[in-house]
Each structure stands twice: as structure tokens, then as C-alpha cells.
Amino acid sequence: MRELREEDLGSYVNFLRMDPQHFDHLLGLVGPSIHKQDTYCRDSISPGERLAVTLRFLASGDSYRSLSYLYRIGKSTLAEIIPATCLAICDVLKRPYMKVPNTQAEWRAVADKFDERWQFPNCIGAMDGKHVAIKAPRNSGSMFFNYKNFHSIVLLALVDADYKVIAYDLGVNGRNNDAGIFGNSELYHHLEENTLNVPPPRPLPGRQEESPFVLVGDEAFPLKTYLLKPYPGRDLTDERKIFNYRLSRARRISENVFGILVNRFGVLGQTMSLEPDKATLVTEACLMLHNYLRSENDHRYQQEVQRPVEGNWIGIARHPGNRAADAARNTRDQFCVYFNTNGQVPWQYNRF
């Protein structure tokens, strides 16, 4: 580590997924929580080494045995250090870097950024769900077995236009379908009960009729007044095809975030040989570090590969939904009309 830091900065960044300055800053935040007292028998493993081996585990997904050879730390000791350090990362970074907007002004700022970057007004987040592959837990039967024929836990994430995660639900077993995952999430209940302090409806640019602030998702989610999804079917009118394109353009931010995560944290691209609760903790630590690096080291993220990732990191199942309420369909129709009139952009007609 010392040699890489002094002589090969590029390899250091590749090894830990952050430069020395951000490692030192993160160590200053996390260090007090993972510091251990020396004893008369031996010195404790330093906070810096505890953080480094944890970051290497997240970056590479190496087994504890492989890391034990690299760091000369026993496998059983690593099995204690890595979860404890992940927990400390989550505790320390969650409040400053995983902040859910809680004022109307903050939600409007998110919506304005979506409008500025992706020409989708009144959008307060893009949502998607992904399966994180894990080894089959003991005596679990088919509880974690998903429709793609592997065991998993599910991550449901809401992201903003800056590729930051602003809310998430994590740890549900992969057997659940989309309706069960979203319907049982804390985010769903907050949205249904309108406890997130989302601003009241406002007109879309150039129009008189008021439209609500909405999330955007794919076919896996139910259509709600606060959640838009594409029009179903193949024989769609050109107007509906344009709406689906514009919605997909905003929604793909969530796919891009998952692409960044799995490219930066290799542990997410492999099958974790961990119990579900520890796999959940590891995934949560990756989310916290993602937001931390996105906030503190923004220029590197502009160079990341921002694309959907297949394999063990895949979307939740698409199932035919129930009939949406009239109000939800009317909301989608409002946005459809807007994207074909006041809100049209020249390139949308080149898609067909």
C-alpha cells in the first residue's frame, strides 16, 4: 500500500477505488468507530488497515481466504473486520451523504435538475430494482431463489439526476415479484401517505393544467399518480412511442447508477458467499461509498462506464400490472400531451 501510494497512484486508485486524499478523509470519518485498543500481548490492527482491506474486498469481491494471504490477516479475523467496517461506513456516511429531500424546495431542486439535464419536468427521481446474487443460505429452500434461477436479495433504489441514490430499500429475498417488493417498501408507504413533503402539483412548462411531481420507472412498477411507467403494448401511436422514449431517457439514470456501482465495486458483480444480512450490509456500504465519491470526487465519475450491467446484477421481474386508476392514467396522458406539444425536443422524432 505504501509503495503504491508513493510510486504508482493509478494502481492505488484501481486497488482501493479512491485516491489517497479521499482515503485519508474517509479514514478520518470512519477511524474512530473502528479503532481497537492495543493489548499487552500484541498491537491491534490499525484503522487504516481495517479500512483498506474492506475497500479492497468491496472493489474486488475477493474471498476472505484470498485477502488473508494479501494482508497477512487471518480469515476469521477478516470475517469480523469487514462487516464491522461496512457497518461503520454506513453509520458515518448515511446522514451527510444519503439524505432524502425533506423540504419542498429540495424536491423542486431535484425536479429542476431532471428538467435541465433530461428534459423531464416535475420528475423527482428515477427508480429501479436489481437482484444482488448471494450463495444459497442454509435451510432457506427457495426463499431467495429468483425468476432468473439464482439466489439473491433485492435492491430497490431511487436516484436523482446527479447519479446519487436518494432513497433505497434493501434486503428483501429475491423470490418476491415487483409488486411485493415495491408494495412492502418503506418508500411506497411514504408515497402513498404523502409524508415526504413533496410539493403540490404545478403546471408543466408552457401549460395551464397542473401536473403532480412524479417518479419514473419501468414496466415492473404499478402506474400511480406519483409514479409513471411506459405505455404497454407494441402497436402504439407515435405520440405514445415518444412518451415512452422520453420516459426511458429519464429512467435510464437508475440503470446508469447500477452500472457505475458494479464497475466500481466488483463484489456486486459476483455471487457473495455471505449470509443475507451481511450481504445486505455490504451492498449498503457500496451505496454509501458511491454517494460519498459522487459528492467528493465528482470528476472521476464523469469517466465511469454508465451503462446497464447484465449477469448476476439484473432487473426485477416484469409482470403484467393491474388496471391503473383513472387519475394515474390521466397523469400519464398529461405528460404524453406535453412531450408532443410544448415539451417536444427535435431529436425525439429521430427515434422512429
Side-chain angles (χ1 to χ4, degrees), residues 197-217:
N197 204 17
V198 175
R202 69 179 182 184
L204 298 173
R207 300 188 65 81
Q208 300 296 324
E209 185 179 9
E210 291 186 337
S211 299
F213 287 83
V214 297
L215 310 176
V216 292

Side-chain angles (χ1 to χ4, degrees), residues 225-240:
T225 54
Y226 56 78
L227 174 57
L228 298 184
K229 70 174 187 177
Y231 285 103
R234 296 183 178 180
D235 298 325
L236 298 175
T237 64
D238 289 344
E239 290 77 13
R240 290 190 171 189

Side-chain angles (χ1 to χ4, degrees), residues 56 121 137 282 292:
R56 182 56 191 167
V282 165
Y292 168 75

Side-chain angles (χ1 to χ4, degrees), residues 118-135:
W118 308 109
Q119 294 76 52
F120 202 111
N122 284 22
C123 178
I124 55 174
M127 186 164 57
D128 201 2
K130 292 295 178 182
H131 287 278
V132 182
I134 62 172
K135 187 177 180 179

Side-chain angles (χ1 to χ4, degrees), residues 27 158 163 210 232 235 237 242 253 270 279 332 339 345:
L27 180 60
L158 178 66
Y163 299 96
E210 291 186 337
D235 298 325
T237 64
I242 287 173
I253 302 305
Q270 303 179 24
R332 182 167 61 183
F339 289 137
V345 292

